[in-house]
Amino acid sequence: MRAKGIFLTILSALIYGFVPSLCSMTYLMGNNAVTLTFYRGVMILPILFLLMKKNGINFSCTKDEIIKIGIVAILGSTLTSLLLYGSIRYIGAGSSTTLHFLYPLFVVLICHYIYKDILTKRHIVALFISTIGVILFMDFKDFDKIKGVIMALVSGFTFSIYLVGIEKFRLSRMNDYKLSFYLALFMSIFVFFYGIITREFIFHQPIQAYLLMMVISVLAQLIAVICLKKGIDILGSSLASMFSMFEPVSSVFFGVLLLGETITIVKSIGCILILLGVISLVKK
C-alpha cells in the first residue's frame, strides 16, 4: 500500500513538472496566467460530469464539505496557479518554479507545529538534502525583481495549504471524480469573476493554444489531482510533499526535451541531491 502511495505521488509530481513546459508554449501564442487557469478548470468540468454520471456518483455535498472544498480550491489550487503562472512574467519560469518547489518546507512546518505531526530525523535529513538540491536550481540574478520572487514563494505556501487541506479536512476520502469536479468548479467560478474584474482574459488565441490548454486541464486537473489525492490518503501530506520534490527534476527534463533549455552542472548536482533525498525516504 505504501509503495502504491509513493508511485502515485511521484507520478503526480512528474505530471506537474511536465505542465510548465506546455504553459510556456501557450504563452508564446499570446496566452496569460488568468486565461490559462480559467480554462484549466472549466475544460475538465464536462469530462468529470460525464464520469460521475456514468459511475452513478452522487453530486450532493454537505455544507461542511462545500466550505472545506472551497477553502482548498480557492486558497490552494486556484491562487497557486495564478501566483505561480503570474510570477513567470517577472522572474522567468526557472526561478519561479524553483521557489515554488520549496512548498514541502511549508507543509512540514504546518503539519508539525499546527497539527503536531511527528517528524523523524530521517525525514529532516531527507528534506534538508532535497531542499539544498532545489536551491541549486535557483537563478539568483532574478532576485532583484522582488514582486515575482514574493509571488513564487507565496504560491509555494498556498500549495502547501492545498496539500495539508486535502489530508486534514479528510477530503482525500471523498470520491476522486467528485473532489476533482468541485475543485475545478470553484476554480472556474473564482477565476471567471477575477478575469472579468481585471480584464485579463484573452479569448482570441490560435486553436493550438486551446488544444494545449485542454491537455493541461486533463493532466493537471484530473490525472495529477487524483494521483496526488490518493498519495496523500496513503502517505499523509508531509511525506507526500517530500516525494513531490521530483517536480523540479521532471521540469528540467521536459524543459530540455521540449523547449531546448540547457542543464548546467550545478542543476545536475541539484537533481542528484533531490533523488538521494527521495530515495532515503523510500527505505524503511
Side-chain angles (χ1 to χ4, degrees), residues 195-244:
I196 293 297
I197 293 171
T198 60
R199 298 182 179 180
E200 293 186 53
F201 275 133
I202 301 175
F203 293 112
H204 298 291
Q205 298 188 53
I207 187 64
Q208 294 91 331
Y210 283 100
L211 291 175
L212 282 173
M213 284 191 283
M214 186 67 206
V215 173
I216 291 170
S217 181
V218 172
L219 289 176
Q221 203 61 39
L222 176 61
I223 301 175
V225 165
I226 291 176
C227 288
L228 184 56
K229 168 186 170 294
K230 288 182 177 293
I232 291 172
D233 189 35
I234 297 170
L235 303 173
S237 54
S238 292
L239 193 55
S241 71
M242 295 183 193
F243 283 110
S244 292

Side-chain angles (χ1 to χ4, degrees), residues 2 34 36 61 70 72 88 90 144 167 173 176 275 283:
R2 185 173 184 269
V34 174
L36 177 57
C61 291
V72 170
I88 295 174
Y90 300 96
D144 59 331
E167 179 192 8
R173 300 181 181 182
D176 298 337
L275 292 174
K283 295 180 180 179

Side-chain angles (χ1 to χ4, degrees), residues 91-137:
I91 61 175
S95 293
S96 60
T97 51
T98 301
L99 287 169
H100 169 75
F101 290 141
L102 292 175
Y103 65 77
L105 281 173
F106 297 125
V107 173
V108 169
L109 291 174
I110 291 172
C111 289
H112 182 63
Y113 288 104
I114 296 180
Y115 292 98
K116 309 302 179 183
D117 286 5
I118 297 174
L119 191 62
T120 66
K121 289 183 179 179
R122 184 160 58 89
H123 289 164
I124 294 173
V125 171
L127 183 62
F128 177 77
I129 293 173
S130 298
T131 301
I132 294 299
V134 170
I135 291 174
L136 293 178
F137 280 81

Side-chain angles (χ1 to χ4, degrees), residues 75-77 80 100 102-111 115 153-168 232 237 241:
L75 295 183
S77 57
T80 297
H100 169 75
L102 292 175
Y103 65 77
L105 281 173
F106 297 125
V107 173
V108 169
L109 291 174
I110 291 172
C111 289
Y115 292 98
L153 282 172
V154 175
S155 78
F157 178 71
T158 56
F159 193 63
S160 71
I161 293 176
Y162 173 83
L163 290 171
V164 175
I166 291 292
E167 179 192 8
K168 303 304 180 183
I232 291 172
S237 54
S241 71

